[in-house]
Amino acid sequence: MQPIAAKIQLQKILISDGAWGTFLQEKGLAVGECPESWNLNRPDDVLAIAKSYIDAGADMIETNSFGANAFKLTPYGLADKVYELNKAAAQISRKAAGDNHMVLGSIGPTGKMLMMGDITPEQLYNAFRDQAIGLSDGGADALVVETMSDIDEAVLAVKACKENTQREVICTMTFEKTGEDAYHTMMGVTPEQMTEELVKAGASIIGTNCGNGMAQMIGIVKAIRLVNNTIPILVHANAGAPIYRDGKTVFPETPEQMASYVCAVIDAGANIIGGCCGTTPAHISLMVETAKKCRV
Amino acid sequence: MNNDELLLKLLECVEYGKVNKDAPYPPQMKGQDGADELTRQALAQGIKPADILDNALIKAMEKVGQKYAEKKIFVPQMLVAAKAMNTAMEHLKPYFSSGEVRKKGKFIIGTVSGDLHDIGKNLVAMIVEGAGWEVIDLGVDVGSQKFIQSIANHNGAVVGLSALLTTTMVNMKSIVMDIKAKYPGTRLIIGGAPVNESFSAEIGADGYASDPQGAVSYLNSLVA
Ligand code: B12
Ligand SMILES: [Zn+2]
């Protein structure tokens, strides 16, 4: 298949998928249950999520593997299943995507902190490498390292993907607004810093995911574009910041609200747009329709 | 260095996270004495442990908490500062246990059932400890049983609950109820990004704070 970055060179805006974690919870994933265990135990439910995004019109879908690294699987007693769970995750999404849609193998943070001496860079690298190989063997077209807040962890993950697979590598970090036109990850990384370091590490697409909704992505994309006007940018936005209402978590942005910012995010310089926590096939479907009408 | 200069220098080491002489961080303090060396020197010079705690360590952590709240520094700077403080505290511990410096009270803290986020909880634990409280940290994924057990072992302790997920903040409610049923006199404070003052009131907790400094103010108000 043609690399995603090459498709973008043809001036095309691509649409990605929406939430997986919150979708699994809706399908009955219990608190304390490992989301990735469903790849082996309930593959049909996972496949149904993947399919629903293809049906919504997404050009690409992710995999149910965000937390499938050795560190996060350990508390579930699944640390020896890294390869299997990731391979199965990619196979399921591949099945839904067929030959005409792309599969992005999802790789999330380990939850360990390098700077506190929790783990060594080598241990981190190895964990990401094992995950990347499983996803690649399962048929992912690209790997997406996402929701990162520490630049050193992100760089190690990108390198582990680059050096051990033939896949395109995407990396996105999660920013908060910290002032007028200022954005930082929880670990203090700015979009500018991210751009420089990730490009150097070998990422071919970079961007931002999660966070506080679609509107805030405009400023983050602009900040990336200020320092780099060629790298393809991916945005996976939450349906707003989660709030607690009547005993339940809700993500407040409706498909209409999110779609209303899509053209502005594209104008700012984004090339691929999709959703993160709280977004549904309805959100994605409206993004697809809206993006067609934006002037590029 | 006279006593005041030394305390000021120690304050600066904790504020900027200079743990000891060999520590590479922060780069601008490379090769200088850190919290480790300066605390030993202060004790050797005859400065009272209580003075070191009040006039260097606690003041430094106040500054750090303030800068963090203003988004001038981020989690890494906060964590190294806390590490420098803990290093200094190691030297003061013998005086605390000998009773020369009295602890203000006991504080049990944990992240509630189903939730594995511990960065915020750890910061609260470190800063409350820095403010002169004995902290019992129960870790993450802590349910009612474990809290109740700990209260049984630490009579009169104040309890802090942390939750970072809207799916686990609901577990705070049952934990508060269980604790209050068994030990009605227990004071409970809750915190974490998704919770707020009104949620705290709704579930019957006694306090809420949005940051470690707020937790300290609440705790200190109980013993004032
Ligand atoms: C780091 C992080 C993780 C790490 C945690 C590592 C660790 N060891 O803690 C990892 C990667 C493991 C992780 C996992 C998950 N995460 Co997470 N994570 C975060 C992130 C990026 C930062 C949280 C943090 O540490 N903040 C910094 C600290 C210093 O702030 P804080 O915790 O709020 O604490 C401060 C105050 O709240 C207060 N405080 C805290 N506790 C207490 C207690 C008391 C008594 C008091 C007084 C005060 C107080 O003082 C602290 C210092 O100022 C947030 C997003 C964000 N930017 O907030 C998401 C976030 C919290 N995670 C989220 C999610 C969904 C998850 C996962 C479910 C994802 C998944 N599908 O795997 C899992 C859940 C795992 C589990 N069962 O707990 C969502 C929660 C959505 C929701 N509201 O429900 C968030 C908000 C991301 C998002 N935008 O959607 N996560
Ligand atoms: Zn998200």
Side-chain angles (χ1 to χ4, degrees), chain A residues 113 115 184 186-188 244 249, chain B residues 74-76 80 119 166 169-170:
Chain A
M113 282 211 233
M115 63 157 306
H184 288 89
M186 164 196 123
M187 303 299 275
Y244 174 80
T249 309
Chain B
F74 299 91
V75 171
V80 284
I119 299 168
T166 33
M169 65 189 270
V170 292

Side-chain angles (χ1 to χ4, degrees), chain A residues 90-108:
Chain A
Q91 283 170 335
I92 292 168
S93 289
R94 181 82 272 157
K95 191 167 166 191
D99 293 333
N100 299 322
H101 296 86
M102 289 161 291
V103 172
L104 316 183
S106 168
I107 296 179

Side-chain angles (χ1 to χ4, degrees), chain A residues 1-16 59-60 102 104 142 144 168-172 203-207 221 225 228-236 265-266 269-274 296:
Chain A
M1 190 171 299
Q2 193 185 14
I4 302 169
K7 292 195 184 184
I8 289 165
Q9 300 306 317
L10 303 172
Q11 301 280 311
K12 196 169 173 302
I13 298 296
L14 299 175
I15 303 295
S16 182
D59 297 297
M60 60 191 78
M102 289 161 291
L104 316 183
V144 58
E168 256 181 304
V169 183
I170 306 169
C171 184
T172 61
S204 55
I205 299 172
I206 62 169
V221 172
R225 277 289 172 247
N228 189 318
N229 56 21
T230 52
I231 186 119
I233 296 178
L234 181 153
V235 169
H236 277 143
V265 174
I266 292 172
N271 308 90
I272 307 173
I273 298 188
V296 271

Side-chain angles (χ1 to χ4, degrees), chain B residues 50-156:
Chain B
D51 273 352
I52 299 176
L53 185 64
D54 291 343
N55 296 322
L57 307 189
I58 292 180
K59 275 202 183 136
M61 288 319 275
E62 266 172 25
K63 281 186 149 185
V64 171
Q66 188 64 34
K67 283 194 278 185
Y68 180 79
E70 290 166 2
K71 297 188 193 294
K72 293 204 175 99
I73 60 167
F74 299 91
V75 171
Q77 291 83 356
M78 185 119 165
L79 289 174
V80 284
K83 193 169 174 183
M85 187 201 72
N86 284 339
T87 307
M89 288 292 284
E90 281 303 310
H91 298 296
L92 303 184
K93 272 211 179 114
Y95 301 89
F96 290 123
S97 40
S98 74
E100 186 176 325
V101 178
R102 279 234 338 269
K103 288 278 186 187
K104 291 180 183 153
K106 292 183 178 185
F107 181 56
I108 298 170
I109 188 167
T111 302
V112 301
S113 338
D115 202 320
L116 305 173
H117 292 85
D118 67 357
I119 299 168
K121 181 224 13 130
N122 292 347
L123 289 174
V124 173
M126 289 182 215
I127 288 180
V128 167
E129 185 166 32
W133 288 73
E134 180 181 346
V135 174
I136 298 107
D137 186 343
L138 300 180
V140 296
D141 194 14
V142 184
S144 300
Q145 262 339 94
K146 213 163 159 190
F147 279 110
I148 288 170
Q149 183 85 51
S150 183
I151 298 167
N153 295 335
H154 301 279
N155 229 317

Side-chain angles (χ1 to χ4, degrees), chain A residues 21 25 35 66 72 76 109-111 149 176 186 210-211 238 242 249 251 277, chain B residues 68 75 78 107 109 114-121 123-124 160-167 189-194 208-212 215:
Chain A
Q25 283 162 15
F66 179 78
K72 280 200 173 170
Y76 302 111
T110 57
S149 58
E176 269 175 78
M186 164 196 123
C210 221
N238 276 9
T249 309
F251 288 82
C277 308
Chain B
Y68 180 79
V75 171
M78 185 119 165
F107 181 56
I109 188 167
D115 202 320
L116 305 173
H117 292 85
D118 67 357
I119 299 168
K121 181 224 13 130
L123 289 174
V124 173
L161 308 181
S162 179
L164 259 285
L165 298 169
T166 33
T167 48
I189 176 167
I190 67 165
Y208 159 79
S210 63
D211 57 25

Side-chain angles (χ1 to χ4, degrees), chain A residues 184-235:
Chain A
H184 288 89
T185 69
M186 164 196 123
M187 303 299 275
V189 181
T190 62
E192 294 84 344
Q193 252 173 300
M194 168 189 81
T195 305
E196 188 185 331
E197 299 276 339
L198 293 184
V199 169
K200 224 188 319 165
S204 55
I205 299 172
I206 62 169
T208 180
N209 77 297
C210 221
N212 286 309
M214 193 60 100
Q216 214 169 82
M217 296 311 199
I218 301 166
I220 300 170
V221 172
K222 280 186 181 157
I224 297 173
R225 277 289 172 247
L226 274 181
V227 291
N228 189 318
N229 56 21
T230 52
I231 186 119
I233 296 178
L234 181 153
V235 169

